[in-house]
Structure formats: C-alpha cells, structure tokens
Amino acid sequence: MPMIPLRGISISPSILQSFDIGRLNSIESFELSMINDEKIFLVSQFDSAVEDPTIEDLYTIGTVCNIKQVIRTSDTSIRVLVEGVSRAKLDEMWIDENDAWIGRILPISFDEEKLSDEKRLTLEAYSRKLIKGFDEYVSLAVDIPSDAAMELNDAQGYSMVADIVSSSLFLKFSDRQKVLVTLDIEDRMKMLYEHLLEEIEVIKIDKKINQDVRKQMNKVQKDYYLREQMKAIQKELGESAGDDEIGEYREKLKEIKVSKETYEKIEKEIDKFERTPIGSPDYNVSKNYLDVIFSLPWNNESRNRFDIKKSEKILNEDHFGLDDVKERILEYLAVRKQSKNLKAPIICLAGPPGVGKTSIAKSVARSLGRPFIRISLGGVRDEAEIRGHRRTYIGAIPGRIINAMKEAKARNPVILLDEIDKMSNDFKGDPTSAMLEVLDPEQNKYFVDHYLELPFDLSKVLFVTTANDLRSIPRPLYDRMEVIEIKGYIEEEKLEIVKRYILRKQLKENGLANDFVTMDDDVIKFVISRYTRESGVRQLERTIGKICRKVVKEMVENPKLEPVKITKELAVKYLGSEKFKEEPLALKPQVGVVNGLAWTAVGGVTLEVEVNVVPGRGNVVLTGMMGDVMKESAKTGISYIRSVSDVLNIDSDFYKDKDIHIHIPEGATPKDGPSAGITMTLATISALTDRAVPGNIAMTGEITLRGRVLPVGGVREKVLAAYRMGIRKIILPKDCKSDLDRIPENIKEDIEFVLVEHMNEVLEVALMEDDGSSNQPSKVAKKSARGAKKNVAGKSTSKKTSGKKESLSDDDK
C-alpha cells in the first residue's frame, strides 16, 4: 500500500493528527492512496535530515491511517488530516513508476478477548491509574483540552486508552516513538504511566517557579526605588558608575570619521548613557544602541581588486556562459579603476530557477575581493525588516541592511538581495517601498535606519538582486535596477556545465575519485533531454548525483569495483525509465493542423494547434487550458478572417452556421500569451478553406485585427525547441530579427527563417495549393494579399449596378 516516511512526528492509532507533505515522493504516495481506498501507511524516520530514506532509515513499526481531510497550502505542499487505525510492521519498501513510496505491510493485531484473567486484572489496574493520573494532568495543564479526559473515559479497550494518553501527553519524539513500537500492552501502559507522573511533577514545579518570579518582580520594583536613592547620594558625593565603558565609547567616537551632525548626536547619546543608572531599564537600551553604532564600518573599506584579467578568470572558473553578467562586472571594474567617484551599480539578475543567479553573486564578490553577504527577501512582509524598529519598542533591533553591514565589517561589500520579487506587503507596511532608498544610488548615501536614526553611507555597496518574475516588482523599484536577463541554458551549454562543473562536484561530494565515473557527450545529452526539463541545471545536478550514488552503493557492495563508464543503458538502469520522450513531429501536410512555438519556464516547446470546422450555430470553442490572453488572440484571429473572408474564398456567413473548435493538445498543461496568434489564425483558415499546411513549418507571432504580425519574446528558446523536433523552416515576426543573433551558428545555418510583417505573408509561405504543392504561394494567399491591400486603402473590390458587375475605375485599381 502507499506509504509516507514522517520526519520528526509520530502518529498513533485512534488519534486524529494533521501534518504537512512537501516531498515529491510523499505527494505521489498520497495521491495514489486517494485514488484507491484513502488509506495510507505512516512510519517515522530515524533522522529527519535524510531526504531520500530507504528501509534502513525507518522504524519498523508504523500506523495504517484513514485520510480525513486535505488542504493545499501551496503549489508544492499539502496539509493532511489523518486518523490512525492500527499498528503495522514495514516488511519492504520501494518507489514505483510514478515516484510514489510503496510498502509491503504486515498487520499487527491485539485480541483483548483472549487475555488471561490475571493479565486482564493487571491491565485494568494500569488503565485506572492512567485515567486517574490523566484527569490530574488535564486539571494542571492549561494547554490540554478538557474534552480529552472525556474521550479517554469513553475509550474502547486498553490499547485505545494507551494511545489516547500517548497523543495528549507532552513527550519527546523519541519517547513517543518508543511507545508506538512497544507491542506488549502492559509494557506500553507502564511506560506511559511513568511519563505521566513525571509530567505532573514538572507542571507542579513550573507553577511554583511562576509564583517565585512574581515575588521577584515586586522585589525588582523595590530595588529600583532604592537605586534611585543611591543615585541621588552618588550625585551628592560626586561619584559615577561605568566610567571605564564611557571612556571607551568616547575614544571610539574620536576614531570614526562622520559628519558634524552625526558626531554631535552620538556624543549626546554617550552623555545620556553616562547619566543613566545601572539598574535603570534604559541602561541596557542605551548600551546596546552605542554598541551597534561602534560596530558599524564607518571608515573600514576592504581593498578592491582591480585586476580585470584575474577577475575574468575567477568568473569563468565558477560559471559557464552568463556572458552578459560577466561583461557588466568587468565594465564596472574598468571604470572603477579609472574613476574613484563611480557609484556602485544596482544589478538585477532575472531568470528562471537554477540558472546560477545566486552563485554568480558569490563569484562577483570573490572576483572583486570583497566580503559577501546574502539577504533572503522571500516572504518579507514587514517594513521594519529593512529599516529596523524604532528604539521606543521593547526588543528593537536594526534592519537587515544595517545588520549586513555589521557582519561585513567593511562599507563596500557585495550584498545579494535574493528573491526580491517575492516580497509582499500587509498591515505592517510595504518593504518594497523601504527598498527604494536602499537601491537608489542618489539616495542611499544617506540611508537612515529607524533604529540607528543616523545617516549611513551605502553608496560603496555593490547590490546584486535576483528575481524569477520581473512583473511582480513594483515599477519604481524596477526602475532603480539595471536588469540583466538570464534566459536559461541550451542543451550545448548544459553539456559543458556537466563536463566542467557538475560531474566533478558530484564525484567529490560522494567520495569518488575524479575519473571513477565517466560519461560521453551523447550520454550526457541523453540524460539532459530524457530526464530533466528545466531552464537551469538544478534538477540535472540532482540526476547526476543520483548516478554517482548508485555507483557508490555498488562500490560498497563490491570493493573491487573497477571505474565505471556510464552508457545509455546503464543510465536507464540507474535512473529508471525515461521521464520525457521527444518524438519528432509528424511533418506531413495536414488541414487545420499547424505547428506553433511557445516559451515556458523550462525553455521552448512546440505546440500543435488543431482546428475543426463543423456545422453549428457560430460558436467558437477554445480548449487546452488556454489563458485569457491566448483566448483573446484566437478571437482576434477569427475577426481578422471575417474581415478578409471574401478574398479568402470563405463563405461570409461562416461565423453564423459553423462552429469552430480550436484545441491545443496536452490539455492539462496551462498555456497563455499572444505568441500563438498567427498559428491559430492560419490553422483556422486552413480548416475553412480545406487547404493543407506543411508539417515542416513552425511559427510564432502575435496578430492584430488588421492582420499585422507583432514581435514576441523567447525566440531563442523557441527556435531551439523547433530544431529538436525536426523542423527546418520557421516563420518569425520581422521585428524579432535581432533575436536571431543569439542563436548558435550551427543551428542557424540549418534552419530557414522567414520574417513577416503581415498575415498575408504567412499565407503566402505556409498555405499550400489545391494540388498539395508548397513550393509556390497558394492562389488563396495571393488573392488575400491583393484584397487586403485594397481593403486597407479603403476601396471595394467590385461595384454593383442593377445586379451586374461594373469594371473597376482607375482610382479603384
């Protein structure tokens, strides 16, 4: 049956328990159990840090549970409410083809009717002691619901009594698991009774401590009054406390270089601290404030490395590709070496997950010879996280920026603001607004933290931010950053990254010699295309790591194992069946079927747009999980077809008596964007005119009501996807011509690109003749082009008088 290894929790029978599921295998196991009988086996891990546990990492005894409730908390996790049914023993476990954990379970039964009289009397005695002790425990503990005791009194059987007490009692995970795996009911009840008595004693001691603390608080107030009197006496005697500390602060003040106004404010704070008695609540507040001030790098500046060649070598050692980022850093170094007054740029690295945005920032710091500090902004909702809390609040602390400067101990570090697009706001303020001053080179020289209340110079800091989605960044904040987009890696780049970095890194992490595992280029490409589908290399690194772990396992079992050369067959053995199969497209001409191109977070993909025209009432049906923008593109294309129906030899009333069904396969995958506009329009024209479209052509572009073809993004990724699928002719908007420079030369030479400005040009290239030939533009396409030009000029193609056509005038011509 499906099973889930639990981390840090233990679930007993007869108990309702909720927990979160986040691992992929766990989610697959849960979904499999929902399909079957809504039962699942839950067993705990020895070590919660193990990500991919085997049977050796698990306890042998677990609980079979019924699934009661499911709540999806995010895209990658769900919360489940289960009810324990019975104990069971794990005999064997494996991962099935859907990545779900499956276990062979041996039931454990306990028949109370077969107990001997002596045993029954012993268990009855323990049961009464547990119930009586639990009543006392509930009366003492404030966080235990009162109905828990009622539930215990209604328990059916001795085993249920023990399980209810175990679930309500405050136990460490190890003790709770020990109770679960103890199968003898007498031993289990005895163990629980000992824990119950111990917990009651702890609660009694805790209450006594609370009473003593209250008495101590009254004493503190009395001491404060006496200290005030002592302060007056010391003043009369001319004595003062803390002279050494105050003298140390004054010496530090002389050493730092700050403005006159800042110097006077710090000096006043020292004077205030000098007058504050040691026992006063304000004493520690002032002391902490002064400690923060003198821990900041007001003058300290790390020595910059302006050796461009050495910096370039470091950047190339750590990362392959990412030429735009490297070039920008080297430009900064060159100008900084030439001009000392240059303000540090605010660089935003934008791109999909796993392309190396965070790690490139570390390399930048290493190449510059500066300290590196990372600040994670994911989920930050409070403005005080950035600007700090005002000192009027108890427990006030500086914001993350000032804390980062303290940690760096230099005023020119590289600070990485990770996931800046994940910030949000609530009633506590808007942290994105607080970032406006931080990331503005014109303002951050005088950045004021709420806790510090002094201007601090951030102009020397090199801020590097990262983002996955630029659309979620507010425009004023976006405008302050220099955005460098990282589009993701193509297959050839991933190949080089595996050969230069990933394989070497995984061999080292798994304790293997550098050349113990080798892989040819075709095997690496096979792993990339068949087991990973992403823009970055994060999943690819995990996959290579899995191969290395399999080799390590074989080496442990056979110490004489020779170095392993990975072949495609061996890769399939280690990794399982292929996750992605890229079958070449059907390149035969078809009516109503056109190859489109789309961009996704994992790179470019090809889409087959299918259109069927059937008798009906003029309905337009759009299927295939289309988003709003894509639906609007389809409707725009149909409106365009209606405007030129006469020149396309299409019945002008087709929108009244025919239903048009536009479908994009893989209907479970969400799709959106305007780039399929010309594809859907051409497929619809093909279906209405019964003219085929060659299968070796793919296209992308947005269409307008007038038939103009507008540019789209992601051209590089789309072209590479089409090339992988065997397509050698691609129609692109003319304004996308500059994007072709980013396509590898070997691929660009093998593909024919057709750049178009109007839908008429698309028809000339892609709509075939009646006889099936595709070398010449179709007659319909030519006629459409001529008719569209006349329509744009505002002239009709014919004039009617008394039911007869007249010849066209010169103006009409």
Side-chain angles (χ1 to χ4, degrees):
M1 67 186 303
M3 62 171 286
I4 294 179
L6 301 177
R7 295 192 282 187
I9 63 172
S10 177
I11 296 177
S12 305
S14 307
I15 300 304
L16 285 171
Q17 177 79 33
S18 65
F19 59 93
D20 291 336
I21 298 176
R23 289 186 286 195
L24 174 63
N25 303 104
S26 299
I27 293 175
E28 293 294 340
S29 299
F30 166 75
E31 292 179 347
L32 181 60
S33 65
M34 291 296 292
I35 294 173
N36 297 331
D37 54 0
E38 297 185 353
K39 287 184 181 297
I40 195 161
F41 178 68
L42 305 178
V43 62
S44 300
Q45 297 180 196
F46 293 119
D47 185 1
S48 60
V50 177
E51 190 67 26
D52 298 311
T54 62
I55 194 168
E56 288 80 10
D57 300 316
L58 306 177
Y59 289 91
T60 56
I61 305 298
T63 307
V64 177
C65 300
N66 287 327
I67 298 172
K68 291 294 185 182
Q69 190 180 42
V70 180
I71 300 174
R72 182 166 290 279
T73 57
S74 70
D75 293 338
T76 58
S77 66
I78 56 178
R79 180 162 294 168
V80 184
L81 178 66
V82 299
E83 180 182 23
V85 177
S86 62
R87 285 175 174 77
K89 184 177 181 181
L90 178 62
D91 183 56
E92 186 181 353
M93 70 175 287
W94 64 89
I95 297 176
D96 70 358
E97 64 275 8
N98 295 318
D99 289 337
W101 273 309
I102 305 295
R104 181 173 288 112
I105 311 303
L106 304 178
I108 297 174
S109 60
F110 176 68
D111 191 354
E112 297 186 5
E113 295 181 359
K114 295 182 180 180
L115 293 172
S116 64
D117 293 339
E118 182 181 354
K119 186 77 169 179
R120 190 184 306 277
L121 290 173
T122 303
L123 294 180
E124 181 65 28
Y126 270 119
S127 178
R128 292 181 182 181
K129 282 182 175 293
L130 281 174
I131 293 174
K132 183 178 179 181
F134 190 77
D135 287 338
E136 182 181 1
Y137 175 73
V138 171
S139 65
L140 291 172
V142 295
D143 55 348
I144 302 297
S146 58
D147 58 352
M150 297 175 59
E151 184 179 353
L152 184 61
N153 290 322
D154 296 334
Q156 302 293 325
Y158 303 121
S159 183
M160 184 178 291
V161 169
D163 289 334
I164 292 175
V165 173
S166 171
S167 65
S168 302
L169 202 60
F170 181 81
L171 295 175
K172 292 186 294 185
F173 168 72
S174 58
D175 292 335
R176 192 178 299 281
Q177 186 63 31
K178 189 176 179 181
V179 172
L180 178 66
V181 302
T182 302
L183 300 182
D184 185 85
I185 185 63
E186 181 179 346
D187 294 342
R188 198 188 316 157
M189 297 179 86
K190 180 180 179 181
M191 189 187 308
L192 282 170
Y193 187 64
E194 292 173 355
H195 284 301
L196 183 60
L197 294 178
E198 182 181 347
E199 191 65 18
I200 290 172
E201 287 301 317
V202 170
I203 294 175
K204 289 179 179 178
I205 294 171
D206 184 66
K207 287 196 171 186
K208 183 177 181 300
I209 292 173
N210 284 337
Q211 292 174 355
D212 294 341
V213 169
R214 289 181 181 276
K215 292 179 181 178
Q216 185 67 25
M217 289 176 65
N218 294 331
K219 183 177 181 300
V220 168
Q221 292 175 347
K222 178 182 176 182
D223 291 346
Y224 175 74
Y225 176 74
L226 293 175
R227 286 194 182 95
E228 286 295 305
Q229 288 184 323
M230 188 183 297
K231 177 185 174 183
I233 294 171
Q234 287 176 339
K235 188 175 181 181
E236 289 293 326
L237 295 174
E239 297 176 354
S240 177
D243 289 340
D244 292 341
E245 283 185 332
I246 293 165
E248 186 179 342
Y249 286 145
R250 294 194 188 281
E251 288 298 322
K252 289 181 178 179
L253 179 59
K254 293 177 182 178
E255 294 175 1
I256 63 175
K257 296 179 181 179
V258 292
S259 65
K260 183 179 179 181
E261 293 80 4
T262 302
Y263 188 95
E264 290 175 353
K265 286 183 179 179
I266 298 174
E267 192 173 32
K268 286 181 180 179
E269 191 64 33
I270 295 175
D271 293 340
K272 176 185 173 184
F273 176 67
E274 185 178 16
R275 297 191 301 269
T276 304
I278 296 176
S280 171
D282 291 338
Y283 179 85
N284 285 329
V285 174
S286 293
K287 186 177 186 305
N288 291 337
Y289 177 69
L290 290 171
D291 287 341
V292 169
I293 287 178
F294 292 116
S295 65
L296 289 173
W298 296 94
N299 314 123
N300 298 336
E301 187 170 324
S302 65
R303 186 176 180 182
N304 288 287
R305 180 189 293 129
F306 294 123
D307 188 338
I308 296 179
K309 291 185 178 180
K310 188 172 183 179
S311 298
E312 185 177 11
K313 181 181 178 183
I314 291 173
L315 291 172
N316 290 330
E317 282 177 357
D318 293 347
H319 292 84
F320 179 80
L322 304 180
D323 296 330
D324 292 343
V325 187
K326 296 174 182 177
E327 185 67 23
R328 182 64 185 89
I329 298 302
L330 296 176
E331 288 173 1
Y332 167 71
L333 285 176
V335 177
R336 183 70 179 81
K337 186 175 183 179
Q338 196 73 15
S339 171
K340 295 184 178 181
N341 298 322
L342 176 68
K343 295 175 182 176
I346 312 296
I347 298 173
C348 178
L349 305 178
V355 295
K357 299 186 295 298
T358 302
S359 59
I360 192 70
K362 293 181 182 178
S363 297
V364 168
R366 192 161 77 92
S367 66
L368 294 174
R370 297 188 184 185
F372 173 75
I373 306 294
R374 175 182 175 271
I375 300 176
S376 177
L377 299 178
V380 172
R381 295 174 177 270
D382 188 355
E383 180 187 355
E385 292 273 352
I386 308 300
R387 283 189 173 276
H389 302 82
R390 298 192 183 278
R391 282 189 290 154
T392 52
Y393 296 105
I394 297 174
I397 57 174
R400 294 194 182 193
I401 304 298
I402 293 298
N403 277 328
M405 300 304 296
K406 283 173 54 183
E407 186 180 348
K409 298 179 181 179
R411 63 176 189 159
N412 64 334
V414 175
I415 294 183
L416 172 65
L417 301 175
D418 212 2
E419 307 290 358
I420 196 170
D421 58 324
K422 305 298 189 302
M423 287 194 297
S424 56
N425 53 36
D426 62 5
F427 66 94
K428 296 179 182 178
D430 185 1
T432 57
S433 300
M435 294 298 297
L436 294 177
E437 182 182 4
V438 176
L439 299 181
D440 191 337
E442 300 296 330
Q443 301 180 34
N444 62 12
K445 187 174 183 179
Y446 307 102
F447 174 73
V448 177
D449 185 271
H450 287 160
Y451 179 86
L452 207 62
E453 294 181 336
L454 297 171
F456 189 83
D457 185 6
L458 299 178
S459 61
K460 301 289 185 181
V461 179
L462 176 58
F463 285 103
V464 180
T465 67
T466 69
N468 298 131
D469 186 4
L470 293 173
R471 293 173 298 180
S472 59
I473 301 177
R475 189 67 196 181
L477 184 59
Y478 177 89
D479 189 55
R480 282 164 166 76
M481 300 184 293
E482 180 180 342
V483 177
I484 300 177
E485 292 196 27
I486 304 175
K487 293 291 187 181
Y489 301 110
I490 62 176
E491 187 175 283
E492 286 72 15
E493 291 174 333
K494 290 182 181 180
L495 172 65
E496 291 298 324
I497 291 171
V498 171
K499 290 165 63 177
R500 298 187 186 188
Y501 308 103
I502 293 179
L503 184 56
R504 191 182 308 165
K505 176 183 175 184
Q506 288 301 318
L507 288 171
K508 183 179 179 180
E509 289 185 356
N510 289 281
L512 295 170
N514 284 338
D515 299 326
F516 196 84
V517 176
T518 56
M519 302 173 71
D520 290 338
D521 289 2
D522 59 336
V523 178
I524 298 175
K525 288 183 177 180
F526 174 77
V527 173
I528 292 170
S529 61
R530 301 304 172 89
Y531 291 93
T532 63
R533 185 165 287 182
E534 56 178 345
S535 293
V537 292
R538 194 170 288 156
Q539 183 62 35
L540 177 59
E541 183 172 353
R542 294 193 193 105
T543 306
I544 299 296
K546 185 176 181 180
I547 293 175
C548 294
R549 291 195 300 273
K550 296 288 186 182
V551 174
V552 170
K553 182 183 175 184
E554 290 184 358
M555 186 176 70
V556 171
E557 294 172 350
N558 178 17
K560 297 182 180 180
L561 184 69
E562 296 292 330
V564 179
K565 182 174 183 179
I566 306 297
T567 62
K568 291 183 180 180
E569 294 75 16
L570 202 53
V572 172
K573 175 186 173 184
Y574 288 155
L575 301 176
S577 58
E578 302 169 20
K579 294 183 178 179
F580 307 103
K581 294 185 181 293
E582 294 188 352
E583 299 294 340
L585 294 172
L587 302 182
K588 295 181 180 179
Q590 298 183 68
V591 174
V593 179
V594 180
N595 297 320
L597 300 174
W599 181 89
T600 68
V602 297
V605 294
T606 56
L607 299 175
E608 275 194 349
V609 177
E610 301 176 344
V611 176
N612 266 357
V613 178
V614 295
R617 298 182 179 180
N619 296 322
V620 177
V621 181
L622 306 171
T623 57
M625 281 286 281
M626 297 187 192
D628 292 339
V629 177
M630 185 172 279
K631 290 178 181 178
E632 291 173 359
S633 292
K635 294 174 181 176
T636 302
I638 292 174
S639 294
Y640 164 74
I641 295 171
R642 288 177 59 184
S643 69
V644 295
S645 60
D646 53 342
V647 295
L648 290 173
N649 287 339
I650 298 174
D651 183 4
S652 60
D653 292 333
F654 75 91
Y655 64 94
K656 295 180 181 179
D657 54 13
K658 287 182 172 57
D659 288 347
I660 299 175
H661 187 160
I662 302 176
H663 176 69
I664 301 180
E666 296 188 24
T669 305
K671 311 166 189 75
D672 202 4
S675 61
I678 65 172
T679 312
M680 292 186 288
T681 304
L682 178 60
T684 305
I685 293 174
S686 172
L688 288 169
T689 60
D690 200 28
R691 301 296 179 97
V693 175
N696 64 341
I697 294 179
M699 62 197 67
T700 182
E702 180 180 354
I703 190 171
T704 68
L705 286 173
R706 302 291 182 182
R708 290 187 298 120
V709 180
L710 302 183
V712 293
V715 172
R716 176 172 174 261
E717 290 79 7
K718 293 175 181 179
V719 169
L720 295 174
Y723 184 80
R724 287 197 302 268
M725 303 307 283
I727 291 173
R728 295 299 180 263
K729 189 172 185 179
I730 299 176
I731 299 175
L732 296 174
K734 191 172 184 180
D735 291 339
C736 292
K737 184 177 180 180
S738 59
D739 294 325
L740 298 180
D741 297 336
R742 303 189 61 198
I743 298 171
E745 288 296 330
N746 62 320
I747 295 177
K748 192 159 56 173
E749 291 174 359
D750 206 16
I751 295 179
E752 178 186 353
F753 294 98
V754 181
L755 303 178
V756 299
E757 293 181 289
H758 198 275
M759 189 64 201
N760 298 328
E761 300 171 57
V762 178
L763 296 176
E764 291 178 16
V765 174
L767 201 60
M768 299 181 68
E769 296 280 7
D770 293 332
D771 57 4
S773 61
S774 58
N775 293 328
Q776 299 297 328
S778 70
K779 298 172 183 176
V780 174
K782 292 177 181 177
K783 187 173 181 181
S784 172
R786 293 195 300 269
K789 291 176 182 178
K790 292 174 183 177
N791 285 344
V792 171
K795 306 296 182 180
S796 61
T797 56
S798 64
K799 297 182 179 180
K800 293 187 178 180
T801 305
S802 303
K804 296 181 180 179
K805 284 188 178 180
E806 293 185 353
S807 61
L808 297 175
S809 66
D810 291 337
D811 290 339
D812 291 335
K813 293 176 183 177

